[in-house]
Amino acid sequence: MKIYFSIFLFWVSVLAFGQDETGNWLMYFGTNKINEKFSIHTEIQYRNHTIAPINIDQLLLRTGLNYHFDKNAFATVGYAYISNHLYDSDRKSPEVEEHRIWQQFITTNNLWRLKFEHRYRIEERFIENEFNTRFRYRLMVFLPINKPKIEEGTLFLGVYDEIFINGKEELFDRNRLYGGLGYQFSENLNLQAGVLYQRLRNTGKTFLQFGVVFNTDFRKKESYQVN
């Protein structure tokens, strides 16, 4: 296991510190189960212009209601708030604020030890006095390293590519390519760290990502009485 972490840290150093400009994303994701069919999505992303999390780029707060068709497919409708901040700005409040309505559909399937996740998302974006729509597709692949499947005590590799398409004349918005390692501490908790490269129309930038996934279950547990 140590050799995988060593390779990963070397990869992060080469990609991150070899760039003139590298950002940092600190992230939390949660799926909070209400009953067999419904759960609540919670998400916080603190994005920085620099590696050190001291120069905020964006604060993203996202929530939504999930409907689970089965264990391999669910749909979501939700709301997001995004505050945007300029680099090295003295202003404490955001320069631009965005309110977003979003819908998505996620399916998963397994092939050998690989888990494939397909995410289709539509966004209605209200940015100041402007409105536009955006379509996103992300293909993510998980590979458990030290166990046949991802369960408690599993070190795993995660890789994805996501393309963003605008609902207007300039169709291409951006593309994100990510690779990283994760560790499954328990059924409901894992930590992930990786490197993301985001390509816009004319520019690109690398970001270090650190994320925690913590899922909760609000369903009432059955109680049994001993007679």
Side-chain angles (χ1 to χ4, degrees), residues 11-67:
W11 179 38
V12 167
S13 299
V14 171
L15 289 179
F17 298 100
Q19 302 286 332
D20 293 332
E21 295 184 0
T22 302
N24 176 291
W25 291 6
L26 304 176
M27 305 176 295
Y28 153 80
F29 302 93
T31 298
N32 309 284
K33 199 76 173 176
I34 300 173
N35 55 42
E36 290 299 322
K37 289 296 184 181
F38 290 96
S39 65
I40 298 172
H41 174 85
T42 51
E43 178 180 346
I44 302 172
Q45 295 196 34
Y46 186 71
R47 300 173 175 177
N48 290 271
H49 289 285
T50 54
I51 292 177
I54 57 175
N55 200 319
I56 184 173
D57 179 5
Q58 288 183 325
L59 174 64
L60 185 150
L61 306 174
R62 183 156 36 211
T63 188
L65 181 65
N66 303 318
Y67 179 80

Side-chain angles (χ1 to χ4, degrees), residues 42-200:
T42 51
E43 178 180 346
I44 302 172
Q45 295 196 34
Y46 186 71
R47 300 173 175 177
N48 290 271
H49 289 285
T50 54
I51 292 177
I54 57 175
N55 200 319
I56 184 173
D57 179 5
Q58 288 183 325
L59 174 64
L60 185 150
L61 306 174
R62 183 156 36 211
T63 188
L65 181 65
N66 303 318
Y67 179 80
H68 298 262
F69 298 96
D70 55 45
K71 66 178 183 178
N72 296 321
F74 68 93
T76 310
V77 59
Y79 164 79
Y81 167 79
I82 302 95
S83 64
N84 297 274
H85 304 258
L86 294 178
Y87 183 72
D88 277 341
S89 174
D90 294 327
R91 181 172 169 175
K92 300 301 181 182
S93 59
E95 276 78 16
V96 178
E97 293 181 293
E98 176 181 349
H99 299 273
R100 185 183 300 176
I101 306 299
W102 59 284
Q103 306 85 37
Q104 73 178 16
F105 180 65
I106 292 180
T107 63
T108 61
N109 64 283
N110 294 277
L111 179 63
W112 182 57
R113 295 174 63 175
L114 299 174
K115 178 182 177 181
F116 293 86
E117 181 184 274
H118 306 265
R119 189 178 76 182
Y120 310 86
R121 180 176 289 178
I122 303 174
E123 299 171 330
E124 294 81 37
R125 308 175 66 198
F126 301 85
I127 308 172
E128 302 295 326
N129 296 320
E130 297 183 4
F131 169 80
N132 68 295
T133 57
R134 188 166 65 182
F135 307 92
R136 301 166 55 171
Y137 169 70
R138 188 185 77 181
L139 172 61
M140 187 162 192
V141 182
F142 298 94
L143 172 63
I145 295 174
N146 60 329
K147 293 190 177 185
K149 63 178 182 178
I150 298 178
E151 57 187 8
E152 184 176 338
T154 305
L155 179 69
F156 60 90
L157 174 69
V159 179
Y160 75 71
D161 187 79
E162 182 173 20
I163 187 169
F164 295 64
I165 301 296
N166 287 313
K168 55 184 181 181
E169 291 183 4
E170 294 183 342
L171 294 180
F172 178 76
D173 184 271
R174 67 193 63 197
N175 192 84
R176 291 176 181 169
L177 179 63
Y178 167 87
L181 286 176
Y183 186 78
Q184 193 74 33
F185 286 91
S186 67
E187 180 182 358
N188 297 325
L189 174 66
N190 73 64
L191 299 181
Q192 300 178 35
V195 178
L196 178 141
Y197 178 72
Q198 178 169 254
R199 182 68 189 178
L200 305 180

